[in-house]
Amino acid sequence: MNPSRNKISLPRFLASAAAGRRLAMVTAYDHMWAGIMDEAGVDSILVGDSLSMVVQGRSSTLPVTLDEMIYHGEMVVRAVQRALVVVDMPFMSYQVSTTEAVRNAGRIIKETGADAIKLEGGSIQAETIRAIMQADIPVMAHVGMRPQAVRQLGSMGKVQRDEQQLLADATAAEEAGAFAIVLELVPADIASRITAALSIPTIGIGAGPGCSGQVLVGPDMLGLTPDFKPKFLKHFAELRKSAVSAVQQYVAEVSEGQFPGPEHSHT
Ligand code: KIV
């Protein structure tokens, strides 16, 4: 980790939320993009297990391994001066037993230098969240749509509407010691009521404006994955289009002998 006086520690992250500042979180998976996100001033960077789909081109988040999460997490942490870095625990790294979960969470923190881990689940993971917290590892929980449960829940884009279950999950995670909770694909009115009922921040994705903060997948918000355009997503740039047209120009200039010109050549 690059220590910096500007670093957003966990207490500072929580103090910002308590002061009513809306938190901006984004995913990044490597040194270059983490540096860009950090320079842009996000409060937190998530090394999401979405890297399985976005970086590795898989069809779900299930295949990514703990070693791969650590490999990417370490690159991200080395780039970041300021943002709070959270690394996802991948599928089957915390479900088998609490002992294994604590050991794997410990590996993530020791080998990447990240500030916290995230895992999916509320009530069903309460015991695991408590055990990891007792090892002094901060835990962000994730309720609502849980991509790791795609086999159980069916389609990944399914909005979760059972308010009582969502509130019970969020409350169980808070009581177990989670410092924040991602609410994914939760109707906006339910997300607002859950946020009001909790004393820890909620970070929404597809959960409306009433959460304490928002998280988006970095390549999605930058228009690098243009075929993925769910209702909740806004493209803040169209980087794939710009990149394709830049490389097309390069191809044309090389084939026409315009590049490299004299200004790019040593004499
Ligand atoms: O893996 C991920 O990118 C996530 C976000 C969608 C919150 O968990």
Side-chain angles (χ1 to χ4, degrees):
M1 162 128 21
N2 297 323
S4 137
R5 260 192 287 145
N6 223 358
K7 172 74 185 163
I8 301 180
S9 61
L10 181 57
R12 196 172 143 198
F13 180 85
L14 294 174
S16 289
R21 220 176 67 70
R22 282 168 199 260
L23 304 166
M25 186 182 208
V26 74
T27 69
Y29 315 97
D30 66 23
H31 192 271
M32 184 187 71
W33 285 106
I36 290 170
M37 299 303 185
D38 197 46
E39 187 181 328
V42 295
D43 297 289
S44 180
I45 292 179
L46 172 65
V47 186
D49 60 356
S50 50
L51 84 80
S52 181
M53 302 169 81
V54 177
V55 177
Q56 299 177 323
R58 304 252 171 72
S59 61
S60 79
T61 60
L62 304 190
V64 67
T65 67
L66 181 63
D67 286 339
E68 288 166 344
M69 293 303 301
I70 289 173
Y71 173 79
H72 285 268
E74 191 271 337
M75 287 189 255
V76 166
V77 168
R78 262 188 296 113
V80 170
Q81 301 278 332
R82 181 175 174 279
L84 186 91
V85 180
V86 181
V87 176
D88 254 338
M89 294 195 73
F91 181 58
M92 292 317 289
S93 67
Y94 57 95
Q95 287 91 342
V96 175
S97 71
T98 51
T99 309
E100 209 173 293
V102 174
R103 188 173 296 120
N104 289 335
R107 273 198 65 198
I108 291 177
I109 298 298
K110 278 175 80 91
E111 295 176 38
T112 68
D115 298 297
I117 59 93
K118 175 165 85 60
L119 55 76
E120 293 183 10
S123 318
I124 47 166
Q125 295 302 343
E127 197 192 326
T128 303
I129 294 170
R130 191 168 286 111
I132 296 174
M133 289 295 299
Q134 280 168 356
D136 290 329
I137 298 173
V139 179
M140 179 177 274
H142 180 149
V143 310
M145 169 62 204
R146 291 182 294 114
Q148 290 178 15
V150 62
R151 293 278 187 280
Q152 289 253 50
L153 299 176
S155 141
M156 278 246 247
K158 209 157 128 196
V159 177
Q160 305 299 298
R161 300 181 188 281
D162 183 340
E163 181 161 358
Q164 276 189 340
Q165 184 60 54
L166 288 163
L167 183 59
D169 279 333
T171 307
E174 173 171 18
E175 284 172 2
F179 74 88
I181 305 186
V182 167
L183 298 180
E184 180 163 0
L185 291 186
V186 170
D189 52 338
I190 297 180
S192 295
R193 288 194 286 274
I194 292 175
T195 302
L198 299 182
S199 57
I200 57 174
T202 57
I203 311 291
I205 174 162
C211 298
S212 324
Q214 299 292 325
V215 57
L216 284 177
V217 168
D220 293 346
M221 63 165 288
L222 293 174
L224 283 162
T225 55
D227 295 342
F228 180 66
K229 190 93 180 35
K231 182 173 164 65
F232 69 79
L233 179 63
K234 175 172 172 182
H235 283 179
F236 288 84
E238 294 296 346
L239 293 194
R240 190 170 175 114
K241 277 191 201 141
S242 306
V244 168
S245 99
V247 178
Q248 280 170 336
Q249 186 180 338
Y250 166 72
V251 171
E253 290 191 18
V254 168
S255 69
E256 287 157 21
Q258 286 170 6
F259 178 83
E263 69 276 31
H264 305 114
S265 308
H266 295 287
T267 49

